[in-house]
Amino acid sequence: MAVQRTFSILKPDATRRNLTGAINAMIEGTGLRIVAQKRVHMTAAQAGQFYAVHKERPFYGELVAQMSAAPVVVQVLEGENAIARYREVMGATNPANAAEGTIRKAYALSVGENSVHGSDAPETAAIEIAQFFSGNEIVG
Ligand code: CMP
């Protein structure tokens, strides 16, 4: 498996509770490298664009409101099989179903406030990375 990049967000529930260092330690503990990172406060328009794929879902409005309510940390993670590896350490979307040892099991509050986001496929990773980072901000 080749080296891959994935896009990650440490969500408002994590930044509010000062968990960015603890979550980064779990990410780095898997061997993934944080090759770009910045703290941003998304506008509702930015959050709406980011989650446009969920526009028709009943939770879309609440999701956009939550993601634009406080700062987040956006990241690019790099490593072998990075997309699947990050999804594994994140755990299930709903923390009630998340396995022991995962970020969401340790820290998520609910399905909406689930501490982290990670890309689900190479195509979405490329789109999501490009929404927040230009090429020279990513240093592998
Ligand atoms: P994320 O991986 O960021 O992708 C979409 C987000 O929608 C998801 O994590 C959840 O935080 C949020 N969400 C809120 N309600 C639901 C739901 N019922 N099913 C799936 N995702 C939900």
Side-chain angles (χ1 to χ4, degrees), residues 6-7 50 53 83 117-130:
T6 191
F7 180 74
F50 184 79
V53 65
I83 293 170
H117 165 85
S119 307
D120 60 5
E123 301 73 30
T124 43
I127 293 166
E128 291 174 359
I129 289 169

Side-chain angles (χ1 to χ4, degrees), residues 11 51 54 57 59 63 93 104 111-114 116-118:
K11 295 186 178 187
Y51 281 118
H54 296 303
R57 309 283 289 274
F59 57 83
L63 176 61
T93 303
R104 286 169 170 158
V111 68
E113 294 189 299
N114 63 354
V116 283
H117 165 85

Side-chain angles (χ1 to χ4, degrees), residues 69-130:
V72 300
V73 174
V74 292
Q75 303 175 315
V76 180
L77 310 181
E78 185 178 89
E80 293 270 325
N81 206 12
I83 293 170
R85 278 172 63 198
Y86 189 41
R87 292 182 73 79
E88 199 177 320
V89 72
M90 284 196 302
T93 303
N94 185 341
N97 303 325
E100 286 296 337
T102 64
I103 295 168
R104 286 169 170 158
K105 177 71 178 181
Y107 298 120
L109 300 173
S110 65
V111 68
E113 294 189 299
N114 63 354
S115 304
V116 283
H117 165 85
S119 307
D120 60 5
E123 301 73 30
T124 43
I127 293 166
E128 291 174 359
I129 289 169

